[in-house]
Amino acid sequence: MSNENHQTSHGKALTATIIVIALILVGGFTYELGRRAGIKEASGGKATSQSVQSSAGSKDGMKRVGILQYVSHPALDQIHKGVVDELKKEGFVEGKNIQIFDQNGQADQSKLATMSEQLVNKKSDVLVGIATPAAQALANATTTTPIVLGAVTDPVAAGLVHDMKAPGKNITGVSDQPPVAAEIKLGKQLIPQAKTVGMLYASTEVNSKSQVETASKAAEALGLKVEKFPVPSTNEIAQTVQVMSDKCDFIYTPLDNTIANAMPTVTEEANKKGRPVINSVDTMVKQGGLATIGVNQYQLGIQTGKMAAQILKGKGKPATMPVYTFSTGDTIINKEQAQHFGITIPADLQKNAKLVTTEVGKQ
Amino acid sequence: MIISSIGQGMLWSMLGLGIFMTYRILGFPDMTTEGSFPLGGAVCVAAITAGVNPFLATLLGVLAGMCAGLVTGLLYTKGKIPVVLAGILVMSALNSVMLFVMKSPNLSLLNLPKIQDVFIPLNLPTNYDTVFIGLLAVAIVIGLMSLFFNTEFGQAYIATGDNESMAKSLGIHTERMTNVGLMISNGLIALSGALISQHDGYADVSKGVGTIVIGLSSIIIGEVLFGELSFFQRMLATVVGSIIYQLLILLVIRLGFDTTYLKFFSAVVLSLCMLIPQFKRALHLTTGFEKYFKKNDVVESSGKANA
């Protein structure tokens, strides 16, 4: 066989493929230009996010508080801030009568165990675990030191407490289970013509799955068709959202760390196709989501801090302190995004809702 | 959507070309990839946040990747640490470097300038900014790589990969070649990371997870589909392979498989691609491409049948 001929033929196949790709590109380009002549498309408003720097702890003092945060993103950082602020309000001034030890796992689950052990070894009087993996790591490290949960959606399913009302062991805290059903209802209210809702969530997060199940039931009860789109990591989000945008009238995201991290991509891709995103967290609405009925993350932190303070003051024991769950939330609507999608906010919502704008700026 | 995938494929192809430099030419798997990819993004995004021009920021990302490659190279050549281990060491260390650079695991770029903003005045259709950035980057990179491989130095580099002891006996500094190869390779990978981060609008420390698979896939798809090629064509085939990989991912999502198992499906698709030559051999089949060229190229197809 002639090697040279062999090479040429494959070279031709390569050239042919490149030509096909080039044709698709040129074809798409001319098609878009032609279409644009018809429709004047509003350019996609781009969402923004802002990381809130968590405050670091200092030394000296009587009581010790160890805080383990799973990962930094705006929602969790707000909780952290709430905890520290509320402790201060309760009279625990950092550096004076309290020492706060901060640990942040930065999403690396293999690090959380060591961090928890470290916090226990510092002889903390109270441990605060922000987000489920962190709380679980703390729970693995100690069965005696009181642990206060911040932002754990389902403490029973996560194996942290036996019962929401009477936790029984050394763990209690605040559940951040959002009013999922109400959020879906809000979506339907804002986008009445919607027939299909797409659920975008990380396949690696247990919390998201249970929320999506609840949300799906709620959506089906409202006559909406549900399409689920779990993603393995942030790298697949852009394409998943592109696919979703073709199949769904609006996108719903539960309380989910992975999606929260990639919210800029989600809104950017969804905006291109004119698909609103209904979220579960206020910070995500500020990153370009359309609306949520959210438990304010800072409030969540405050509540967590309150419980920690109670334990520090000896006024309560985790075993008998019920897990706190928010029964209501604020309706939060991003008016910029509503405008972008041409949505008129119903009068009754307009009255009660908190209107926000995309933070940091717009495209 | 297809356009967007093609554009993304071009951005990811820099990663494939980088891995091509080490995996295919020098013949070793460089695990630094999974660290230098997000590092490129992290440095680039952090620089942009600090007010640096996006083009310069991208270049800084490339430089950071080259430094990472150099460290791996020195650990391997001077420190005698096995290359896979050296790569893994650098990769995991880079995680902390990124956290240090970004001061957060995740840094957003929205409302900040990006490299594709230069196309805003042209008012291009959606996603074409990515395509043009991709084309530009691919053209520059392949151009520079072609130039490099045609120099005496580049030839010595290829010789090192072909047969290290023979290259040594010819007076080639093989250690230097390895270091340079790792630097260029990781520079390209970081470039890909920087471009992808700007496309996605944020940098994330965990963005590198699984990238080595994406890079290898593009090389392998290119090789399997197009067979033996000249050096220049092999680089083009890697770019095309990268585009095809992105399209395959799009297809898998599009077909409505449960995306929880996306990695499994992409592995299946990739394995099938890699099995094509075996099937062809076993069943004496020809692919559509060969059928198409049969008319013009009788010698080749008969040669194939006898093979």
Side-chain angles (χ1 to χ4, degrees), chain A residues 10 25 29 36 47 230 234 264-265, chain B residues 110 123-124 128 200 202 226 259:
Chain A
H10 283 294
L25 288 177
F29 194 77
R36 190 183 283 180
T234 48
T265 315
Chain B
L110 286 157
N123 197 17
L124 294 170
Y128 273 90
D200 286 358
Y202 70 95
F226 308 117
T259 41

Side-chain angles (χ1 to χ4, degrees), chain B residues 11 14 36-45 48 54-62 109 114-116 133 187-203 207:
Chain B
L11 301 185
M14 257 43 84
S36 52
F37 180 82
L39 177 73
V43 170
C44 172
V45 171
I48 291 176
F55 283 92
L56 191 60
T58 308
L59 214 67
L60 286 175
V62 174
L109 254 187
K114 285 177 267 190
I115 201 164
Q116 56 266 42
I133 285 291
L188 288 175
I189 294 163
L191 171 65
S192 183
L195 294 175
I196 289 283
S197 280
Q198 292 178 80
H199 169 264
D200 286 358
Y202 70 95
K207 249 183 144 42

Side-chain angles (χ1 to χ4, degrees), chain A residues 64-109:
Chain A
R64 290 153 180 263
V65 176
I67 304 179
L68 179 63
Q69 190 174 332
Y70 172 53
V71 61
S72 318
H73 66 64
L76 294 188
D77 289 345
Q78 281 293 320
I79 296 175
H80 185 279
K81 195 166 175 289
V83 173
V84 176
D85 288 0
E86 180 61 24
L87 280 173
K88 199 180 278 173
K89 224 171 121 197
E90 295 273 355
F92 294 102
V93 180
E94 218 183 307
K96 222 164 120 194
N97 54 355
I98 191 180
Q99 244 182 308
I100 296 179
F101 300 102
D102 268 315
Q103 292 279 1
N104 191 321
Q106 301 300 19
D108 188 342
Q109 311 233 0

Side-chain angles (χ1 to χ4, degrees), chain B residues 94-173:
Chain B
L94 287 180
N95 185 281
S96 303
V97 173
M98 283 180 270
L99 286 171
F100 172 75
V101 170
M102 297 199 293
K103 308 281 179 234
S104 149
N106 186 281
L107 206 54
S108 172
L109 254 187
L110 286 157
N111 97 312
L112 288 167
K114 285 177 267 190
I115 201 164
Q116 56 266 42
D117 286 357
V118 288
F119 294 117
I120 286 179
L122 295 179
N123 197 17
L124 294 170
T126 334
N127 293 326
Y128 273 90
D129 48 356
T130 313
V131 171
F132 283 113
I133 285 291
L135 278 175
L136 195 73
V138 166
I140 293 173
V141 165
I142 292 200
L144 288 177
M145 279 174 82
S146 306
L147 280 179
F148 171 77
F149 285 123
N150 278 320
T151 58
E152 205 173 313
F153 194 87
Q155 291 294 324
Y157 177 73
I158 295 173
T160 306
D162 284 344
N163 188 332
E164 194 174 337
S165 9
M166 205 215 283
K168 229 177 223 165
S169 72
L170 290 172
I172 294 170
H173 299 283

Side-chain angles (χ1 to χ4, degrees), chain A residues 3 65 71 99 108 167 186 194-195 221 229 240 260 279 290 293 319 340:
Chain A
N3 193 37
V65 176
V71 61
Q99 244 182 308
D108 188 342
L186 177 69
K195 290 195 176 63
F229 290 88
T240 307
N279 302 107
L290 174 65
I293 296 183
H340 171 73

Side-chain angles (χ1 to χ4, degrees), chain A residues 279-355:
Chain A
N279 302 107
S280 282
V281 202
D282 55 347
T283 48
M284 282 162 99
V285 174
K286 285 181 191 154
Q287 283 177 296
L290 174 65
T292 186
I293 296 183
V295 175
N296 182 297
Q297 299 293 301
Y298 183 70
Q299 280 300 324
L300 222 147
I302 296 240
Q303 189 58 39
T304 310
K306 214 170 254 169
M307 290 178 97
Q310 253 178 313
I311 293 167
L312 283 177
K313 287 176 181 167
K315 282 185 187 167
K317 279 210 163 76
T320 51
M321 289 166 85
V323 175
Y324 191 92
T325 320
F326 285 88
S327 50
T328 51
D330 313 326
T331 303
I332 298 153
I333 300 173
N334 187 328
K335 60 179 178 196
E336 234 170 45
Q337 286 289 76
Q339 216 163 25
H340 171 73
F341 296 119
I343 292 166
T344 39
I345 303 164
D348 55 323
L349 280 179
Q350 190 105 37
K351 239 184 282 167
N352 300 316
K354 197 173 126 202
L355 296 182

Side-chain angles (χ1 to χ4, degrees), chain A residues 3 10 12 14 17 25 28-29 32 36 47 49 106 230 234-236 239 242 246-247 261 264-265 272 360, chain B residues 1 4-5 105-106 108 110-111 123-128 200 202 207 226 228 233 246 249 259-260 293:
Chain A
N3 193 37
H10 283 294
K12 275 183 192 164
L14 178 62
T17 314
L25 288 177
F29 194 77
E32 281 287 325
R36 190 183 283 180
S49 88
Q106 301 300 19
T234 48
N235 279 332
E236 288 82 7
Q239 282 174 331
Q242 284 164 11
D246 279 354
K247 292 186 171 173
N261 267 335
T265 315
K272 280 184 195 163
V360 184
Chain B
M1 218 151 53
S4 167
S5 286
N106 186 281
S108 172
L110 286 157
N111 97 312
N123 197 17
L124 294 170
T126 334
N127 293 326
Y128 273 90
D200 286 358
Y202 70 95
K207 249 183 144 42
F226 308 117
E228 281 173 45
Q233 285 173 329
Q246 292 298 322
I249 293 283
T259 41
T260 309
F293 289 106

